[in-house]
Amino acid sequence: MKNNWPLWEVFVRSKNGLEHRHFGSLHAADAEMALENARDVYTRRNEGVSIWVVESKHITASNPDDNAELFEPAKDKVYRHPTFYDLPDEVKHM
Amino acid sequence: MKNDNLIQYIYSIADNALILGQRLSELCGHGPSLETDIGITNMALDLLGQTRSYFQYAAKLSEEDITEDDLAYLRTERQYRNVLLVEQPNRDFAYVITRQFLFDAFHLLLLQKLQNSADETLSAIAKKSIKEVSYHFRFSSDWVKRLGDGTDKSHAKIQDAVDNLWTYTDELFHNLGTDSELIEKGIAIDLTKLKEEYYNKIKEIISEATLSIPESKYFQKGGKKGIHTEHMGYLLADLQYMQRTYPNMKW
Amino acid sequence: MSEKEVKNLEAIFEDKIARDEKIEPKDWMPEKYRQTHIRQISQHAHSEIVGMLPEGNWITRAPSLRRKVALLAKVQDEAGHGLYLYSACETLGVSREELYEQLHIGKAKYSSIFNYPTITWADIGAIGWLVDGAAIINQVPLCSTSYGPYARAMIRVCKEESFHQRQGYEIMMILANGTPEQKEMAQDALNRWWWPALMMLGPTDAESVHTEQSMKWKLKRKTNDELRQQFIDQTVPQADLIGLSIPDPDLKWNEETGHYDFGAIDWDEFWQVVKGHGPCNKERLNARVSAWEEGEWVRDAAMAYAKKQENIKLKKAI
């Protein structure tokens, strides 16, 4: 492989009050360029008020093979949800 | 034409945006990377948008039955008031970036003053354009540094571009003969006063980019008087092709 | 992994797709699924960036400032769409540079319609109206395709493309209502682009090798012939509305089927262009290759600069 620009992930806050959301990726030589490219590529239609960029190699992702042990144990812990608890109808707003 | 001096003044600003926008739009689809291609097209779109605002205003001022397109497309070469710098061809990416950088630094200073113009429309256009041009200046300055302090090859290429385009910088600060009255009224900007700040600014970035500042004291001029380089005719042939071949039609 | 284990994984995988669940990059997928997606998504990406060229040809000559900015923005969008699609493809473990390489050596395909020349301004109208029209028909179903990154890219693409076809139709409408010269220009463009636009929807079902598998993976929802019929049915009335005629003497409304019948497509021409012998195949590929090669020193410079800056930062930290 030659001297190619690394891949970056782009996160955009579409307006204040909302979280940054993953918008896509792009190539750039450095962080400053990644930010400028993200502005030029992903906010052409007024989509954002704030941008984060992170080089893709710095993201650690969980392995889907581990999904059973990572996520399934949470499925039956119904007591973490409000509907688990029976209250009389007279009690409103709780 | 009514308000002729003011209209000439508007040409001297708008034609820079039009001609540079035209040059940049030649690059669409041919950039060194998709991301850079998109970035450069954004600048072209900003400049063409500014052009339209200026020409719509000039058309109105003329009190004649003309449109922005009559002004953009149907003047003769001698009637275009852009500086020679912006009509210089896209020799390679180093020239594109250097031309942009040398112009952006000036453009930003001009708009910062023009936003206080006594003419409300010009002031409003300037206020809106400053945001766009601040970004252009950031984009082009960053690229000057990347190319200057990148590889030996890029350093040599951009040094060549700086050396060759330097001769067109002085003209940026020439007022039109007809500007003096407008300057007195606070409508037009006295460009000679921007010169010092301009050279300080660009020399700082050129040095940071590890490039040397050209020493030549010989400068080219003429664009603002409608005496252009040989490149201009071909640019206009493209720009005006449809309007000249099929006159008086709507598109 | 044993053959049996693979079979089992494949069954789980196919079930997942049948349930309309998405496949994400790190999920297990059959090698054929990966390869088919790399092929289709990259072909799609290449079409976007090669597609910039015929229209880009008219940016500097657009007849008004309004048309110029609209066209510039449209061609720029195509660069963006190419970028989204290359990114989606990269999640399958192949780099953008590798994909470019395949395009540049002629190994990868792109939509053959972009090998036709744009010779008048009306061609820009015809491309927006017909080519984007046909593309939308192909693309909308892909917003719910099975591979997550592709579906997400397509949602963004479809959202942004909504102005493209309108832009083209508006150009044609103004020309058709303009001077006789302008109307003739519009009709001539329609005559030249109509058949290539029909071919763009792919070979007839009988000859299409990928359809069945693609249906299963939701890379396709309808067959090429169904899509083509849909395109014709929706486009003919649009031509009528602006007084242009479709260049097909056999075209007529069929009461019984509720569709238009249409004449025979010249598939020899289609295969000739696909195999690299269309009017502009060489020009298009050369333009892409030279943009890439001439950009190499620029990309290298940016990397060298980035490394120097990184080193300066490191030194300061020490």
Side-chain angles (χ1 to χ4, degrees):
Chain A
M1 286 295 279
K2 296 194 59 190
N3 216 0
N4 293 320
W5 292 356
L7 192 67
W8 298 71
E9 301 300 322
V10 178
F11 300 82
V12 177
R13 185 202 294 289
S14 39
K15 62 177 186 187
N16 275 6
L18 296 178
E19 68 279 61
H20 285 77
R21 198 165 63 79
H22 184 234
F23 259 46
S25 45
L26 49 75
H27 290 260
D30 55 47
E32 180 62 20
M33 195 203 284
L35 214 50
E36 288 173 10
N37 290 350
R39 178 263 189 193
D40 284 326
V41 171
Y42 288 103
T43 65
R44 301 200 302 285
R45 286 176 169 80
N46 210 13
E47 292 98 331
V49 296
S50 163
I51 301 174
W52 290 346
V53 289
V54 57
E55 206 178 327
S56 310
K57 69 176 184 199
H58 295 312
I59 291 181
T60 309
S62 63
N63 187 335
D65 292 346
D66 301 337
N67 277 10
E69 62 186 68
L70 288 178
F71 308 117
E72 282 180 29
K75 276 187 184 161
D76 63 354
K77 310 294 191 289
V78 285
Y79 45 79
R80 287 201 174 100
H81 299 281
T83 46
F84 179 72
Y85 303 93
D86 288 326
L87 295 186
D89 291 345
E90 290 77 26
V91 184
K92 285 173 185 160
H93 311 299
M94 186 183 281
Chain B
M1 241 187 238
K2 289 219 169 166
N3 299 308
D4 195 44
N5 286 356
L6 182 52
I7 290 173
Q8 291 298 324
Y9 181 64
I10 294 172
Y11 288 163
S12 75
I13 300 174
D15 287 347
N16 286 340
L18 171 67
I19 302 302
L20 187 54
Q22 176 79 357
R23 276 290 183 232
L24 293 177
S25 65
E26 290 170 13
L27 296 164
C28 184
H30 306 276
S33 77
L34 273 181
E35 287 83 353
T36 320
D37 203 308
I38 293 171
I40 286 179
T41 303
N42 271 343
M43 294 197 291
L45 284 167
D46 288 341
L47 290 168
L48 293 169
Q50 293 167 18
T51 306
R52 295 186 68 190
S53 306
Y54 288 122
F55 283 159
Q56 282 163 9
Y57 181 43
K60 200 174 115 197
L61 284 171
S62 75
E63 294 182 23
E64 285 174 30
D65 186 21
I66 53 172
T67 67
E68 59 182 44
D69 292 325
D70 294 320
L71 299 179
Y73 289 87
L74 292 174
R75 282 178 289 150
T76 62
E77 181 170 332
R78 292 284 274 110
Q79 292 170 321
Y80 285 84
R81 298 269 168 258
N82 59 283
V83 291
L84 299 177
L85 174 67
V86 294
E87 70 199 45
Q88 296 310 302
N90 303 322
R91 284 207 179 83
D92 62 20
F93 193 71
Y95 272 83
V96 170
I97 288 301
T98 305
R99 183 185 61 203
Q100 193 66 38
F101 167 70
L102 294 174
F103 180 71
D104 291 343
F106 159 78
H107 198 189
L108 190 55
L109 289 174
L110 168 68
L111 293 173
Q112 281 163 349
K113 297 278 186 242
L114 194 64
Q115 67 176 333
N116 301 318
S117 167
D119 184 295
E120 278 177 23
T121 310
L122 287 182
S123 153
I125 299 172
K127 275 184 189 143
K128 183 171 171 289
S129 309
I130 282 178
K131 297 170 195 159
E132 297 170 340
V133 173
S134 303
Y135 184 76
H136 300 180
F137 185 53
R138 170 176 168 170
F139 183 95
S140 59
S141 306
D142 282 352
W143 270 107
V144 165
K145 291 179 219 163
R146 285 189 193 107
L147 299 182
D149 197 13
T151 60
D152 291 347
K153 185 173 182 180
S154 69
H155 181 89
K157 275 180 174 282
I158 193 162
Q159 184 68 61
D160 177 60
V162 170
D163 290 346
N164 283 306
L165 292 174
W166 192 258
T167 188
Y168 300 112
T169 52
D170 189 67
E171 192 193 8
L172 292 163
F173 307 98
H174 294 196
N175 295 319
L176 296 177
T178 49
D179 286 352
S180 30
E181 198 192 317
L182 295 169
I183 293 172
E184 250 166 60
K185 285 186 186 158
I187 292 172
I189 308 308
D190 182 357
L191 298 174
T192 57
K193 292 189 174 149
L194 305 178
K195 203 166 169 174
E196 200 185 326
E197 198 180 344
Y198 172 81
Y199 282 108
N200 287 342
K201 186 92 214 156
I202 61 168
K203 282 177 180 173
E204 185 190 316
I205 292 168
I206 291 173
S207 304
E208 203 188 320
T210 71
L211 295 164
S212 52
I213 293 151
E215 279 165 19
S216 168
K217 299 214 161 42
Y218 298 103
F219 293 103
Q220 301 299 319
K221 60 179 185 201
K224 296 196 81 165
K225 291 188 171 143
I227 303 167
H228 294 277
T229 56
E230 289 180 353
H231 306 295
M232 185 69 171
Y234 295 98
L235 183 147
L236 291 181
D238 254 9
L239 178 74
Q240 300 184 339
Y241 168 68
M242 289 297 290
Q243 290 273 348
R244 296 289 185 200
T245 314
Y246 305 96
N248 304 316
M249 298 183 198
K250 290 215 181 329
W251 302 97
Chain C
M1 218 180 286
S2 75
E3 211 173 296
K4 197 177 158 199
E5 279 171 317
V6 173
K7 277 262 175 306
N8 191 25
L9 280 172
E10 272 176 16
I12 295 172
F13 178 85
E14 298 293 348
D15 274 356
K16 212 167 153 186
I17 291 183
R19 281 197 308 273
D20 256 337
E21 269 183 50
K22 300 284 184 213
I23 307 301
E24 293 296 344
K26 298 188 88 179
D27 291 345
W28 183 88
M29 61 185 79
E31 195 46 29
K32 198 175 164 207
Y33 181 90
R34 183 187 301 275
Q35 292 309 331
T36 304
H37 276 76
I38 290 175
R39 197 189 60 232
Q40 172 158 339
I41 301 171
S42 66
Q43 210 167 303
H44 196 160
H46 298 326
S47 299
E48 295 282 355
I49 60 161
V50 176
M52 295 171 75
L53 300 168
E55 289 177 284
N57 185 31
W58 277 89
I59 292 171
T60 58
R61 292 178 291 170
S64 70
L65 291 175
R66 180 174 180 271
R67 292 285 172 220
K68 194 189 286 287
V69 292
L71 181 60
L72 198 46
K74 176 180 191 273
V75 180
Q76 184 196 40
D77 271 351
E78 281 153 15
H81 299 167
L83 192 153
Y84 307 154
L85 290 160
Y86 283 124
S87 299
C89 212
E90 283 182 279
T91 63
L92 291 163
V94 49
S95 71
R96 193 194 292 176
E97 290 75 19
E98 289 171 280
L99 297 170
Y100 274 173
E101 177 66 16
Q102 290 174 3
L103 173 69
H104 294 166
I105 60 173
K107 201 179 142 207
K109 298 261 180 291
Y110 55 88
S111 185
S112 57
I113 195 141
F114 301 119
N115 293 315
Y116 289 87
T118 49
I119 56 180
T120 71
W121 170 249
D123 290 15
I124 300 307
I127 290 185
W129 175 32
L130 303 173
V131 177
D132 287 88
I136 291 167
I137 284 183
N138 254 329
Q139 289 173 352
V140 168
L142 288 172
C143 294
S144 54
T145 190
S146 65
Y147 188 55
Y150 192 24
R152 289 192 287 276
M154 289 315 300
I155 288 170
R156 188 173 281 275
V157 168
C158 286
K159 214 188 223 161
E160 295 188 351
E161 281 213 345
S162 50
F163 92 83
H164 293 186
Q165 196 189 10
R166 294 172 73 110
Q167 180 254 177
Y169 190 64
E170 192 191 74
I171 290 174
M172 290 303 258
M173 188 175 70
I174 300 276
L175 292 176
N177 295 326
T179 63
E181 227 174 339
Q182 285 176 305
K183 184 163 185 178
E184 194 189 315
M185 195 192 286
Q187 183 63 54
D188 170 60
L190 173 55
N191 293 349
R192 283 179 291 108
W193 290 93
W194 174 253
W195 293 103
L198 295 190
M199 295 175 200
M200 200 184 148
L201 292 151
T204 50
D205 297 347
E207 286 187 45
S208 178
V209 277
H210 304 302
T211 299
E212 200 188 337
Q213 181 72 81
S214 298
M215 291 274 202
K216 212 162 82 186
W217 288 340
K218 300 178 184 174
L219 276 170
K220 251 184 182 314
R221 291 285 162 105
K222 290 180 182 171
T223 70
N224 292 349
D225 287 335
E226 286 169 335
L227 293 172
R228 195 167 5 254
Q229 188 67 57
Q230 184 187 337
F231 174 72
I232 293 170
D233 290 348
Q234 82 180 36
T235 309
V236 174
Q238 292 166 356
D240 289 344
L241 193 68
I242 54 175
L244 295 179
S245 41
I246 303 284
D248 178 358
D250 297 324
L251 185 88
K252 65 170 190 295
W253 179 251
N254 184 329
E255 278 294 344
E256 233 166 86
T257 59
H259 295 292
Y260 283 94
D261 292 337
F262 54 96
I265 293 172
D266 180 359
W267 290 109
D268 289 343
E269 178 184 319
F270 175 75
W271 291 112
Q272 180 181 335
V273 181
V274 170
K275 286 176 182 152
H277 306 289
C280 299
N281 294 58
K282 287 200 175 68
E283 284 89 335
R284 300 295 183 240
L285 219 48
N286 286 345
R288 285 312 316 159
V289 171
S290 61
W292 185 245
E293 287 177 353
E294 282 162 24
E296 188 177 357
W297 69 269
V298 177
R299 297 189 301 275
D300 287 350
M303 280 309 282
Y305 177 79
K307 277 181 194 145
K308 283 185 198 174
Q309 295 301 110
E310 196 64 30
N311 286 340
I312 292 172
K313 247 194 235 165
L314 283 175
K315 267 186 201 152
K316 271 188 191 157
I318 298 164

